[in-house]
Amino acid sequence: GITVRLILHYSRPGTPIIVLLTVGLSWALTYSTCLVVPLDLLLDDDIDKHSLEVAWNGIYWASFVLTWFLIPILQGYYDAGEFTFQSRLKSSVRSNLIFYGVCCALFVGFVIYVTVTKGMAGRDILGFLMCLSNVWGLTFAILLLGYGLVEVPRRFWHKGNRLLMLSSLQYQASQIHEEMEQCKDDLVQTLRLLDYLDPKLDRRHPCRKYFDIVRDNMPVEEDFGIEDLNSVRPIDQLGIVSEIKAAKEIHMQHMIRLNYHVKHLTYVLWLVDAQWKDTIDQAIKTEQYLIERRPTSEPLMLELSRTSSPLTHSSTDDDEREAKLTSTAPADTFWAKLRWRTKVHISPYFNRSSAIIFTLSSCLIVWCELTLLSPTDLSPFSYLVDSLRPSVSAVEWIALLPVIYMFVCASFALFLFDYFDFT
């Protein structure tokens, strides 16, 4: 259920089904470890332990293949600017081979250096390699968890102050608006480039059919509030624009680069527009709650909330956002009124209480990590598990809740990093 909701929330319309299935499988394998960990504390029978070992091996090797082979190949394939299946797959494999080749060369050089300077034997080298194989995952997990253990409680604490949240949303909206203007400039330059290439590539030109494919995939300027390209102010040219205009003859490599640029621009346009809509929707709801609790308060985001996206200008979007902004009163049904009152009056206190609970949980987890090598068992979780071991369900919950919290903190930090976008 969590994996499905994440995919529905983060996936872009038109995402290939194989990408959705691959990402869903990788997330499902990751989150399934939350359910397997408590079983390690309970199973005593050899047969059960063997089954658990099979499950752990299956999760590990499936995640290994997805992480280091399948997902990089798929990402390179769908990001490639080539036009045929074979060429896109070849480009993806080639780029991954170059990356892994450089990494392997650096790794082998490092191992040789350590072996020579430290005088390690064959068994020592094997142990050293096993240690290095876990360094990347453990280091990355520690960084994500360290950030999430602090940021998750802090985020819930700030959500309890709606004036602060509204100011934060206003700041985010201004940043997103600047990104939108940059995206619109890039779109205008690309559209002008296509208009420049159109008469140069006649029907007999070998690149004409690929140019038509790029043009068909190009976003329409009217959808982004651009009615006349000549009315847009001149801007510095993109690298791809300067390169193609300086070329004496258009080759296939230019079409590949142009196709890659258009695909990336389309993704960025969708991403920024989605961020804008999400920020404005949150601002509208937050402002509604503030007005309900303080009817005389001055709306901070009123004008911004009434503004449609600078990228997608639609009368339907304007009508929907106007309806959201003006519908501050709940529906007439009992449950709708109850849900509305809960969000208005109880939600801030719930968020502050959750922040306190999460802060204590973060402190307990950090304490357990700090005392992990202590000769005396100082872990509160270990004490609870030992004292409640006769109760299977109690042990499962004591082991499950901290693991789920750590997964949430690490995942929260991971989703904030733009580096791991699967475009």
Side-chain angles (χ1 to χ4, degrees), residues 167-370:
S167 300
S168 175
L169 290 169
Q170 188 176 19
Y171 174 75
Q172 293 177 29
S174 64
Q175 286 189 316
I176 296 173
H177 189 276
E178 292 180 3
E179 294 181 19
M180 285 179 167
E181 292 301 319
Q182 179 62 48
C183 290
K184 185 183 289 188
D185 291 343
D186 294 346
L187 176 62
V188 169
Q189 291 189 65
T190 306
L191 290 170
R192 285 175 174 170
L193 176 62
L194 295 179
D195 290 341
Y196 168 80
L197 290 175
D198 195 7
K200 290 182 174 293
L201 302 176
D202 55 35
R203 293 299 169 184
R204 293 174 296 178
H205 197 285
C207 295
R208 180 67 200 195
K209 64 177 182 179
Y210 303 112
F211 173 81
D212 291 337
I213 294 175
V214 174
R215 182 129 208 176
D216 292 339
N217 294 332
M218 187 67 192
V220 182
E221 58 266 32
E222 287 80 5
D223 294 341
F224 300 94
I226 304 173
E227 299 180 357
D228 184 10
L229 294 180
N230 296 325
S231 63
V232 182
R233 61 182 174 82
I235 47 180
D236 295 334
Q237 289 187 348
L238 293 169
I240 181 66
V241 176
S242 302
E243 177 184 341
I244 292 180
K245 286 188 175 181
K248 296 181 179 179
E249 186 178 352
I250 305 301
H251 299 287
M252 186 62 187
Q253 199 63 30
H254 294 125
M255 291 295 102
I256 292 175
R257 285 205 58 195
L258 182 60
N259 188 37
Y260 172 81
H261 170 73
V262 170
K263 290 170 64 175
H264 179 71
L265 177 61
T266 303
Y267 166 74
V268 173
L269 288 170
W270 168 82
L271 178 63
V272 175
D273 186 59
Q275 290 175 341
W276 173 267
K277 291 179 179 178
D278 184 63
T279 302
I280 295 304
D281 288 342
Q282 291 184 51
I284 290 173
K285 294 177 182 178
T286 305
E287 189 177 56
Q288 289 174 351
Y289 300 149
L290 283 172
I291 294 174
E292 181 69 15
R293 294 194 68 178
R294 304 180 188 180
T296 59
S297 62
E298 183 70 20
L300 299 178
M301 290 283 292
L302 183 59
E303 294 301 325
L304 183 60
S305 301
R306 291 182 183 273
T307 306
S308 62
S309 168
L311 289 178
T312 55
H313 189 79
S314 170
S315 59
T316 303
D317 291 342
D318 290 342
D319 294 339
E320 291 178 357
R321 296 185 185 284
E322 184 71 18
K324 286 183 180 180
L325 185 64
T326 56
S327 61
T328 55
D332 294 333
T333 62
F334 170 78
W335 292 111
K337 289 183 178 180
L338 180 62
R339 185 167 57 251
W340 172 262
R341 298 300 177 187
T342 300
K343 290 181 179 179
V344 170
H345 299 286
I346 300 178
S347 180
Y349 301 104
F350 173 79
N351 288 325
R352 287 292 174 91
S353 301
S354 300
I356 295 174
I357 295 173
F358 292 152
T359 300
L360 295 176
S361 301
S362 297
C363 293
L364 284 176
I365 291 173
V366 172
W367 170 258
C368 292
E369 294 292 336
L370 292 175

Side-chain angles (χ1 to χ4, degrees), residues 67-105:
T67 302
W68 298 108
F69 296 100
L70 185 56
I71 290 179
I73 294 295
L74 277 177
Q75 188 169 7
Y77 174 83
Y78 285 104
D79 284 345
E82 282 77 5
F83 296 91
T84 62
F85 172 81
Q86 292 84 353
S87 59
R88 293 169 72 178
L89 183 61
K90 182 180 178 180
S91 174
S92 176
V93 172
R94 182 174 62 250
S95 60
N96 279 279
L97 286 177
I98 292 174
F99 172 77
Y100 287 123
V102 173
C103 292
C104 288

